[in-house]
Amino acid sequence: MSLFTKAEIRQINDCYDDLKREIGKRFDAERMEKVGKAFLFANAAHDGIRRKSGEPYIIHPIAVATVVARDLGLGATSVIAAILHDVVEDTDYSTEDIRNLFGENVARIVDGLTKLSGEMDTRQALTLKKMLMTLSDDVRVILIKLADRLHNMRTLESLPPLKQLKVSGETLYLYAPLAHRLGLYAIKNELEELSFKFKHPEDYKHLLYQLHDQEEKRNYLVNEFIAPIQLRLAEEGIECTVTHRLKSMFSIWTKMHTKGVTFDEVYDLLAIRIILKAKPNISEKRQCFEVLSLVTDIYPPKPDRIRDWITMPRANGYESLHVTVMGPQGKWVEVQIRTERMDQIAEYGFAAHYRYKDAPAPENELDRWIERIRDHLENSEYDAFEFLDEFKLDLFASEIVVFTPKGKTIKLPKGATVIDVAYEIHTNLGNKCIGAKINQKLVPPSHVLQNGDQVEILTSENQIPQQQWLSFITTAKAKSKVKNALRSEKKQHLEAGRELVEEAIKKHKAPLVANTIKKIIAHYNLNNKEQLFSEVGMGIIQLDDLGKILSLKSRNKFIKYWNITFRGKDKGIEIPGEEEPGEDATGLLDKQKPFLLKENPDKIAYSLAKCCNPIPGDDVIGYISSGDHVIIHKKICPKAEKLVASRSDKIITAEWTKFKKLSYLTRLNLNGFDRIGLVSDITTIISKLHSINMRSVKFDTHDGLFEGDLFLYIHNTEDLNILIGELAKVKGINKVTRVENLND
Ligand code: MN
């Protein structure tokens, strides 16, 4: 007897039927039976349990299994593991039970997934580290984990807003890049779109409306562009589909924010994809280049804008031929040319190798990548947060290819230096690197490599890893190797220093106690004993006058350090020690409710982040720093995004109340065509708006163009938007943008 109602049982069965329809086409009877067994087992295990939304819990694992089968095209082992993925975590069954019932492979994957779950609110960086360690065991664990996350994002609606913000922040920060790295474009896009929707609901709605508004015009332009291509390809007997690739809403929005461009400017770019059915017996590469040549017969290509990812695929396996051509409307259009096989890889990445098979993928680029991660994990001792930062470098970077003297290719992130490539080849080569010969020229270790360089690393036995290398190294691998080397060197100095100090103290017959050490530290004006030991170890401090120091009577020298924080504008400096007792205790904030930003906060203080300079009306969040002090960031601030994803336990939602009295410094950047009277027109507009005061203006003109910075005191975004609207109307002004950074 089930604990659910009849209607709920029907819902469960419908959901399971959906999965069966998906896998029925390709699983044999034996596999279908195993899946059925897994369903019955999981269904009984989760019986009576509900999700936050109220629906039976079992709906979730079945939906995840459906994503695994449909969107990732994985085999029976993965589908069964997906159905069982929350059983060990949420019920009384153990991995051992799973092993007895479903075999070793399924149990291993479920075990991996169980280890990855757990409280996501604490240290997500640790989760990533765990995730990557699992990755090196069986990629299917990560693929199912991504499916799990995808379904959680699809059903995020039923969670409270703060939870939505955290989960989508984490998705954007960790899971989407990971999907990208694995080449799962479809899943990456959906994760990004959903995160965007929940993180910035207002912007999302607005953008949706704008896209809808442009649709008809868009379709017309696309058809006008592709019709001649389709005709020509048909004449040549080339079978293919030509589609219009819509930019995702998230990428449009990101571009608008990071590059400060308007919707029209981003949306203006057309992108077309030609997917051809490759003929047998002719290389796919040749067929793609033939299409390229037909396309460029019709539309002239932009010089230097042909990208050949077929001869040299990207590290995530992506293959395609890209060209930018001049379209009939006088606009650049990007055309991507690829075969159906390449398209599968483009959509599903490494999962494409697993699709419709139930075996691990053959040796490929992914293995190389995983090996890099494994290396990195084994070599790194530092904290998970630091690890995450560096790992992201590798996740996002675009790549260059360089050659060894023997012609072997090495893929590296863009911006990689001689040191990076040295460590990529071998740790010892990195440690001893003194420079390189590139295309017959000598270059220093910091030299940034160009695509196609042939690099010969030069070494010296006397070389050791240098601290300064850390300032130009770009790969996570090289960074962790250098840090480890420096750390062990430092440790050696420290140990040697400790021995020298202790010997010296004994020699002067002073007691070997903390007070003695303290006296020495004070004498040399150092911070702590570690610094003393390492400076002695390195020979910076000689301990010559130790006798004199130890004979001095200790004076009661007491220095108190104040932790000074700057709180808000015009608030002056507050010293924490002078706060009322109890204020410092955490827990005063109700994290479930939005933090209200008032003009005259009575008790709990907040300050506005210097990195993004929010003003009243901006979409903001709060970060709880020490002692319940809240720092307000704009939601789109990169630093805030990172905090939401990695320290979500310290994030609260925040709302502005009415702000009318205080003013905030804001910067606008203007550009356009210079003319007589322009500056006075601009200043007249500002002086007419009584709520805004100007602090300074800076204008630069050259060759008839001007660029200017306005620094203004402003109450809130409402007033700011009115001003921007007015300024945009001024003759000659091309663009008005708000600049977050007030400093340069
Ligand atoms: Mn789950």
Side-chain angles (χ1 to χ4, degrees), residues 57 60 64 85-86 148 152:
Y57 194 88
H60 165 67
V64 173
H85 83 268
D86 279 332
D148 182 32
N152 286 336

Side-chain angles (χ1 to χ4, degrees), residues 453-596:
D453 277 347
Q454 190 157 28
V455 188
E456 185 188 343
I457 299 296
L458 304 172
T459 57
S460 156
E461 265 318 302
N462 299 326
Q463 179 68 302
I464 50 162
Q466 304 292 314
Q467 176 79 32
Q468 79 197 65
W469 288 356
L470 292 172
S471 64
F472 52 76
I473 278 173
T474 53
T475 60
K477 181 177 177 177
K479 209 167 227 177
S480 78
K481 298 252 161 151
V482 172
K483 277 193 182 169
N484 281 336
L486 291 174
R487 202 173 283 132
S488 73
E489 195 196 353
K490 210 173 132 196
K491 231 169 156 179
Q492 281 171 20
H493 286 316
L494 211 84
E495 281 312 310
R498 182 194 304 274
E499 274 174 31
L500 285 172
V501 171
E502 286 176 5
E503 270 171 34
I505 292 174
K506 270 187 220 153
K507 209 176 96 194
H508 286 94
K509 305 218 161 43
L512 194 60
V513 291
N515 251 340
T516 313
I517 306 268
K518 265 187 202 153
K519 262 189 215 166
I520 307 174
I521 293 171
H523 175 81
Y524 291 109
N525 203 9
L526 303 168
N527 296 321
N528 49 41
K529 62 176 192 278
E530 279 73 26
Q531 198 186 356
L532 170 69
F533 294 154
S534 73
E535 298 209 348
V536 170
M538 281 188 285
I540 298 171
I541 292 175
Q542 306 283 351
L543 297 174
D544 292 339
D545 36 6
L546 198 64
K548 215 166 72 197
I549 302 165
L550 293 175
S551 64
L552 278 177
K553 269 233 174 298
S554 81
R555 271 175 296 148
N556 204 359
K557 214 161 112 193
F558 188 63
I559 306 162
K560 192 166 178 181
Y561 291 98
W562 292 108
N563 244 334
I564 295 169
T565 28
F566 192 68
R567 305 204 154 177
K569 193 183 138 54
D570 303 328
K571 285 239 135 55
I573 290 165
E574 274 180 41
I575 297 162
E578 290 178 356
E579 277 173 15
E580 288 168 45
E583 260 251 329
D584 208 37
T586 43
L588 280 175
L589 288 167
D590 182 355
K591 292 189 197 166
Q592 297 312 313
K593 285 198 213 116
F595 180 66
L596 290 180

Side-chain angles (χ1 to χ4, degrees), residues 418-445:
V418 167
I419 285 292
D420 290 298
V421 77
Y423 276 105
E424 194 60 40
I425 298 169
H426 197 277
T427 307
N428 231 349
L429 211 53
N431 288 340
K432 303 275 170 222
C433 176
I434 51 166
K437 228 192 229 172
I438 292 179
N439 313 329
Q440 308 310 322
K441 252 179 66 193
L442 284 177
V443 294

